[in-house]
Amino acid sequence: METASAGIPERPQGPRVNRRTLLRGGAVAGLGALVGSAPVFASPVGAAPGGPEPSAAGLGLTKFTDPLRMPPVLRPRERGDHDELTVRMRTADITVHSQLPPVRMWTYEGAYPGPTIETVRGRRLRVAWENRLTGTLPVTAVDFGLATGPSPDPLSNYPGTQGCQEVSGVAGLEPWAAVHLHGMLTGGGNDGWMENLLAPGDVQLSAYPNDQAAGTLWYHDHTHHVSRFSVFAGLAGLFITRNAEERALDLPSGRHEVPLILSDRNFDTDASGAPTGRLLHKVEMVGAQRLMRPHAGPYTLVNGVIWPHLEVDPRWYRFRIVNTANSRIYRLMLLADGRPVAGALKVIGTDQGLLGEPLAVEGALNLSPGERADVLVDFQAFRGQTLKLVNTLQGVTPGESNKRNDLLEPDVMQFRVADRRPSAKFTLPEVLSPTFTRVGHHDLPHDQAPRWVVLVGPGTQNMPELWEMEETDAQDVTLPAAGIVQVKDADGTLVTLRRTAMAYDDGATFTAAHEGVEIWKYLNLAASPHPMHIHLAHFQVLSRENYDITGFDRVTRGSSRPIAFKAAAELEPHERGEKDTVRVGTAGQITPGPNGTPGELVTVAVRFPVVGRGVHHCHMLEHEQHMVRPLVVSPAAHLNAGGHHH
């Protein structure tokens, strides 16, 4: 294993003649790393005059004080026909802001985020994930709430535990772990099954085929029941695959290719009210039922730095943007002089690789937890200016705060554009991946019913639920009835659905055929959006549609009248490629009323290129324990062996 030493820039290897090394060289240098509090690279000559700014009242830290830093890079070692790598989980003290004491975290290789693992497509990879964590969970978990309903300015907007109570069963959690390489198409035995836990001193050995399009994946802890705390503690990192197709595009590289790994955190406070380096998982419990709102921390981190700044040249940059937050949706806009720059973000890739052509983002780039976007930005028109990347909500002026919806401080980071002539020329390619194709009618299965997954609001356990459904005869049911949902589509066709499974350990597991294609329909009847992630598979989003969900009886837990089609919605640029995670539900401000956000039906075409036992689940980590179901992919011949369907 090779890694950058703390505070020392990684040196790219010298040139070699073979093609594989050519792919590695330059690309690896492009993600050359510094660790610790060192900047990503030296400031350009003639840097812009941007500087620190005060953050929202009550947060106690100054924005744009610290430079963005890069995660260290790990390169596998060659071992004949495959590559090998060892990654160690360590407890470490991480500097996330110069005005904040070091933060005790659980990390990969002592860095947060963990090292960027960079590989080349076609080189099989074996990783030894070693658990060398020490101590107990370095997170304090608390909650708060009013019996009368949600707060207009929840305590989760601010640091500290005042007005909160400790969540039982969290303090003292020991460092068990399970590593999932999110987006890697590998069999169930190597996927990081969430109940196959590693104790300190144990090793998880995972083999990855690494035979998929060049793209941006990420790895994180997947420990059943506690991933919302273990990922929050710092167990997350980036994984990049390169290939010849990507190299041929001559995209911005070196220090002009920058990962932006987004997360949010909160911290405890000292006696004076100043934030300390103790991680604080703080959630609101709403009403007498104590319904948990997903975690939303007031401090936004990019590459492990709170509200960083980045000195950039007036030229094109490539940003790999990854949402690793527990539950926060980042609705990103680039602002110049306080105004959005329409079309500034050019999406060139999605979760699972490059698009066929660049697509401009005219509004906001909506990334829910687990989603990634590969983006190009041209800073040439902004010489000598300072820009901001902000998080915003629908109905809120970009750059303004919204306390009720967890947006006390909307700023994400600052870009300072050097005031000098561009040093390089780059032309945005018209064609990115000639091998990428959108799924067409002939690619879809027309002889089998779609899978239905219905997402509903809190039930008897006061937690949102994931229902697996099957089509049934309408004559066999009486409405309303628990677990029965009727849907009327755009053509007026009425489908009656019966719930078959809900809890993690219910039977009737979805079983798919290896190399098969299935249609999955996600119907959101809940008040909040849910990012849905499928292991052992990848998919393309076929459609996003709005539905009238007022016919769903929240008391009976079934529909009193059909959930009816209202209108088709547009797919966003980062939703038009290969994916493994998709948001189901409106991104933005949740509207008040008995049914909250408008209902959505998202239809995806899923491919199953690997076999084994995995899961599909909501990637809001506060929901993962309750909104998760097993998934099995089996060789097609096995499903009918002996003349019987199993």
Side-chain angles (χ1 to χ4, degrees), residues 466-520:
L466 180 155
W467 295 358
E468 292 179 352
M469 314 289 283
E470 66 178 5
E471 295 186 18
T472 189
D473 194 324
Q475 296 180 348
D476 297 336
V477 301
T478 301
L479 299 179
I484 303 295
V485 175
Q486 286 193 322
V487 182
K488 183 178 289 187
D489 66 16
D491 297 327
T493 302
L494 184 68
V495 176
T496 302
L497 305 172
R498 182 196 305 272
R499 186 178 66 212
T500 59
M502 176 178 66
Y504 170 65
D505 55 359
D506 285 347
T509 299
F510 279 179
T511 301
H514 179 225
E515 300 293 357
V517 179
E518 296 185 351
I519 302 300
W520 285 34

Side-chain angles (χ1 to χ4, degrees), residues 206 210 214 267 359 372 388 391 492 508 517 631:
S206 296
N210 205 21
F267 303 98
L359 299 174
R372 290 89 71 199
K388 287 183 181 180
N391 186 23
V517 179
L631 167 69

Side-chain angles (χ1 to χ4, degrees), residues 457-603:
T460 56
Q461 300 297 317
N462 291 337
M463 293 295 295
E465 297 171 348
L466 180 155
W467 295 358
E468 292 179 352
M469 314 289 283
E470 66 178 5
E471 295 186 18
T472 189
D473 194 324
Q475 296 180 348
D476 297 336
V477 301
T478 301
L479 299 179
I484 303 295
V485 175
Q486 286 193 322
V487 182
K488 183 178 289 187
D489 66 16
D491 297 327
T493 302
L494 184 68
V495 176
T496 302
L497 305 172
R498 182 196 305 272
R499 186 178 66 212
T500 59
M502 176 178 66
Y504 170 65
D505 55 359
D506 285 347
T509 299
F510 279 179
T511 301
H514 179 225
E515 300 293 357
V517 179
E518 296 185 351
I519 302 300
W520 285 34
K521 291 182 174 291
Y522 288 106
L523 177 62
N524 189 2
L525 305 180
S528 65
H530 296 276
M532 305 309 299
H533 174 47
I534 306 177
H535 290 224
L536 314 183
H538 56 157
F539 56 77
Q540 287 190 24
V541 184
L542 300 180
S543 63
R544 182 182 291 279
E545 299 171 315
N546 296 327
Y547 271 70
D548 178 1
I549 62 174
T550 56
F552 183 71
D553 189 318
R554 293 172 181 264
V555 177
T556 304
R557 311 292 287 171
S559 55
S560 57
R561 64 178 186 277
I563 308 302
F565 172 84
K566 292 175 62 178
E570 289 290 326
L571 297 183
E572 298 177 32
H574 74 286
E575 297 176 330
R576 298 178 187 177
E578 294 288 337
K579 290 183 63 60
D580 52 61
T581 307
V582 64
R583 186 194 76 249
V584 183
T586 302
Q589 189 171 357
I590 297 175
T591 58
N595 288 291
T597 187
E600 279 200 336
L601 177 67
V602 174
T603 303

